[in-house]
Structures are given as structure tokens and as C-alpha cells.
Amino acid sequence: MKNVELTVNGSPVSGEVESRTLLVHFLREHLRLTGTHIGCDTSQCGACVVHVNGKSVKSCTMLAVQADGAEVTTIEGLAHGEELHPMQQAFMDNHGLQCGFCTPGMIMSALDIVKRNGNELDEATVRKELEGNICRCTGYHNIVKSVQAGARAMGGES
């Protein structure tokens, strides 16, 4: 067993894990942050996307011990109390979710897209950037609209 210490959603956390424990399992099982979903365990679907030290990471491909000392942001860390993050609000306003399973990963990926590409995103850019995220319910039209609206609503924020 190895003790890991990291900052998750702004709060210091620690826990003992086996060296083979994936970050997604640490977040869900040890910290009870169940917004990060496990969709495939093969890094194909993107439901497990979180930010590690400000970068988008599929947490099913990272060991918890690799995140030792890191700053991790999950979907639960975006809202400010009852006020949703602009990207979360855009997904609600533009019907960018159906069953909601892929939504946390989509939103976390969208934030990374905005950080790297700015606030004025065309449809082709959003679609290309979301290739690592799978939604089994939609044709992505409203997800793309949501990402674009969220990006605009974020203004200079990233």
C-alpha cells in the first residue's frame, strides 16, 4: 500500500492505495466523487475525464500514485455552491445531455478545449476536439452547441 496526497477540487486529500489503483477508482471509491464515470476502462469513451494540474486526463489511464502531489479537478469542483459553471449551464440550456452519463467527461474536455483554443470555437474544431469522448445517446449536435455557448459564456475565464 502507498499513501497518496493530492489536492482535489481545492481541498487536500490523502489515502492509502494499492500501487495498481487507477485515479478514477481512487476518486470514486475512496473520495466518493462519483461524477467521474467509468465507461470503458480502455480510454476510448472519455467519461472519466478530469483535470490534473490543469490538463485534461482520462483518469482510467492514470494510476492514483502518479497523481501524488497533483492538483485534480473533477466535475464536482466546477460549480460555486448552487451556481453552475458557465459550461455546465450551457449544457443545461442547450440540451447537451440526454442520459447524462458522458456529460461530466464532455464538460471537463470542453473546458480543456476552450483553454487551448479560446472562446470562439467553430463546429469543426469542437467536433474534432471531442473525438475522444463518446456519447451513445445523441448525434452530438446539441453537445457541440453547448460547448460553443459555454465557451462564449466563459469569456476570458478558462
Side-chain angles (χ1 to χ4, degrees):
M1 298 291 269
K2 167 119 170 92
N3 191 56
V4 293
E5 296 180 10
L6 41 141
T7 302
V8 178
N9 299 330
S11 298
V13 299
S14 64
E16 281 201 4
V17 296
E18 291 185 33
S19 58
R20 64 185 177 167
T21 301
L22 295 172
L23 179 58
V24 68
H25 293 296
F26 180 73
L27 294 170
R28 291 180 59 81
E29 296 165 14
H30 291 265
L31 302 181
R32 301 290 183 230
L33 295 172
T34 58
T36 302
H37 294 155
I38 302 168
C40 67
D41 279 333
T42 60
S43 79
Q44 301 298 308
C45 75
C48 67
V49 173
V50 298
H51 292 177
V52 178
N53 294 329
K55 294 189 178 179
S56 185
V57 172
K58 291 182 178 179
S59 61
C60 75
T61 63
M62 182 177 204
L63 297 170
V65 295
Q66 291 175 293
D68 192 25
E71 197 167 306
V72 176
T73 305
T74 69
I75 192 74
E76 291 93 345
L78 297 184
H80 297 289
E82 295 295 314
E83 183 183 343
L84 294 177
H85 184 281
M87 189 63 73
Q88 291 173 304
Q89 189 64 53
F91 267 72
M92 272 186 57
D93 294 345
N94 292 281
H95 310 288
L97 52 101
Q98 287 201 1
C99 80
F101 191 82
C102 71
T103 305
M106 289 283 187
I107 290 172
M108 298 306 289
S109 293
L111 294 175
D112 190 58
I113 293 167
V114 173
K115 183 177 182 180
R116 290 181 291 104
N117 295 288
N119 299 89
E120 294 301 321
L121 299 169
D122 61 40
E123 180 179 346
T125 299
V126 175
R127 285 185 181 277
K128 179 167 179 25
E129 292 279 341
L130 284 178
E131 284 180 355
N133 294 73
I134 296 172
C135 176
R136 291 171 175 91
C137 297
T138 73
Y140 294 88
H141 180 72
N142 287 340
I143 292 171
V144 172
K145 271 181 30 181
S146 298
V147 172
Q148 290 175 302
R152 286 190 303 273
M154 288 171 61
E157 176 189 339
S158 56

